[in-house]
Amino acid sequence: MTRTLTLTRPDDFHLHLRDGAMLNGIAPESARDFARAIIMPNLVPPIVTGAQAAAYRDRIAAALPGSDFVPLMTLYLTESTDPGDVIAAHKSGVIAAVKLYPAGATTNSASGVRDFDKARPVFEALAEAGIPLCVHGEVTDDDVDIFDREAVFIDRVLDPIRRATPALRVIMEHITTVDAVEYVRSHETGLGATITTHHLIINRNHILVGGIKPHYYCLPVAKREVHRLALVEAATSGDPRFFLGTDSAPHSDDKKECACCAAGCFTATHTMPLLAEVFERAEALDKLDAFTGHFGADFYGLARNDTRLRLQRSDEPVVFPRKIETGAGPVTVFDPGFAVHWQVVA
Ligand code: NCD
Ligand code: ZN
């Protein structure tokens, strides 16, 4: 049995770092193992201009003194985003991608896009400049069941956008369904998908059976087991269109353990050990390095990291912190519900 793994230092292609006291408390959890991360712009208010992205990048750097962690910034697309500002922010190296939230789809998405035609000038500018568009792929219509919102988004919104702008490079973020896996597989170029750590581990029973478990509630919500299995198959298949984006999304416990729980799972602390366990159980440990260290960088046109991360396997289960204390309150660390034998070693 494999006892040690030496991996390309991983990148996280979808991460929430928040701001202020929460940022200071949780940023080190990602910077410890990851070299770079695509930073989500859904702050309150959202990051909508290049100037705001640059200032946020500096606050992240200030939260990580002495760290070489590189935040890859994104802009939050609104119906009034100026394509010129996006192109300028990309040319000056401030942003790596633009993020599309359908209005109301998830945490802090009120300023997102309602009428996708209004975003067409930005889509065309992104396509021409080769800037990737990160997409939260869920419709928000009241009459669409929450478990169907991703599949319906593909048909009603994503596919029409991609047909109208074929050169647009799209990342379907945090995919949760076999429908999304098949949609990505049906396109040779220009389309990738991130898969989270937690969606490889939980299905909807984890959230709902035996009482509601708020720390498993995230968006897109975890689906049936058949979908989880499709995600594991995609992540461990060695297909370069699928790569890691943890969507680690911290909320303080008071926001999770209440009558209207915020959406988000926090996995930054132990994502690499959890993934090693998942890939080992799938008999695909040899595919982990590319999933966490190669394919995302390749899709984004970034050089792969030339540093390494080492993991070691022990016979005894590894104990991880249950909570991370931050100045904005404690954050519960995702509980995979099974023993994990892997840990990162220096
Ligand atoms: C994210 C958050 O909390 O900002 N929540 C989540 O459940 N994933 C937003 C998001 O990425 O949808
Ligand atoms: Zn997210």
Side-chain angles (χ1 to χ4, degrees):
M1 186 178 280
T2 311
R3 309 302 303 190
T4 63
L5 277 175
T6 302
L7 304 176
T8 308
R9 196 171 176 85
D11 297 317
D12 182 349
F13 284 94
H14 181 127
L15 177 64
H16 297 271
L17 285 183
R18 314 300 190 203
D19 212 344
M22 181 62 86
L23 166 65
N24 292 331
I26 54 101
E29 298 301 301
S30 287
R32 195 183 305 130
D33 295 345
F34 289 89
R36 300 173 291 202
I38 286 280
I39 309 299
M40 287 298 122
N42 63 331
L43 304 185
V44 188
I47 302 293
V48 294
T49 67
Q52 289 169 338
Y56 183 30
R57 180 192 59 193
D58 294 347
R59 296 199 295 282
I60 294 169
L64 294 166
S67 166
D68 56 4
F69 178 81
V70 177
L72 302 165
M73 309 309 292
T74 59
L75 284 188
Y76 186 120
L77 180 59
T78 72
E79 290 182 1
S80 48
T81 296
D82 171 11
D85 185 51
V86 175
I87 301 303
H90 184 256
K91 265 206 179 118
S92 62
V94 172
I95 62 153
V98 169
K99 174 70 187 241
L100 170 64
Y101 288 103
T106 187
T107 312
N108 305 337
S109 62
S111 329
V113 177
R114 240 165 266 279
D115 176 356
F116 296 95
D117 282 338
K118 293 209 172 118
R120 169 127 347 127
V122 177
F123 296 152
E124 277 159 16
L126 296 179
E128 200 182 315
I131 304 169
L133 179 71
C134 301
V135 177
H136 183 112
E138 288 189 289
V139 294
T140 55
D141 311 52
D142 286 338
D143 62 340
V144 179
D145 189 277
I146 189 169
F147 291 101
D148 298 333
R149 287 180 172 197
E150 182 172 286
V152 172
F153 182 88
I154 294 170
D155 291 342
R156 282 197 200 161
V157 183
L158 183 60
D159 197 56
I161 289 175
R162 295 191 62 252
R163 281 176 199 278
T165 322
L168 185 63
R169 293 175 62 69
V170 171
I171 298 127
M172 295 178 72
E173 305 250 79
H174 42 49
I175 59 170
T176 59
T177 57
V178 67
D179 311 72
V181 169
E182 285 172 359
Y183 185 71
V184 171
R185 286 223 166 104
S186 67
H187 295 83
E188 284 305 315
T189 55
L191 184 61
T194 56
I195 300 178
T196 77
T197 311
H198 51 280
H199 287 118
L200 293 173
I201 295 173
I202 60 167
N203 62 35
R204 64 193 200 177
N205 279 12
H206 290 78
I207 310 168
L208 295 172
V209 172
I212 293 177
K213 314 286 192 324
H215 295 290
Y216 291 141
Y217 175 63
C218 66
L219 289 170
V221 70
K223 310 293 192 297
R224 288 174 182 274
E225 177 66 359
V226 61
H227 295 288
R228 188 191 70 84
L229 292 173
L231 298 176
V232 172
E233 194 279 321
T236 59
S237 66
D239 184 328
R241 292 170 288 192
F242 301 99
F243 47 91
L244 176 64
T246 66
D247 194 16
S248 181
H251 294 278
S252 54
D253 282 351
D254 60 312
K255 303 277 190 326
K256 294 290 289 179
E257 299 169 2
C258 57
C260 185
C261 151
C265 296
F266 180 71
T267 56
T269 301
H270 55 356
T271 269
M272 292 306 295
L274 296 192
L275 289 174
E277 195 76 30
V278 167
F279 276 62
E280 180 179 53
R281 287 168 185 231
E283 295 178 16
L285 262 183
D286 60 319
K287 301 292 197 304
L288 181 59
D289 192 24
F291 179 70
T292 59
H294 297 175
F295 296 154
D298 296 352
F299 191 92
Y300 273 83
L302 302 166
R304 295 177 184 175
N305 297 309
D306 54 14
T307 48
R308 302 276 174 266
L309 187 78
R310 252 166 39 89
L311 286 97
Q312 203 162 57
R313 192 185 199 288
S314 49
D315 293 332
E316 294 303 309
V318 179
V319 179
F320 297 99
R322 285 190 53 244
K323 292 180 192 293
I324 302 299
E325 298 296 336
T326 79
V331 173
T332 294
V333 175
F334 178 81
D335 173 5
F338 51 66
V340 177
H341 298 86
W342 290 94
Q343 62 191 310
V344 175
V345 288

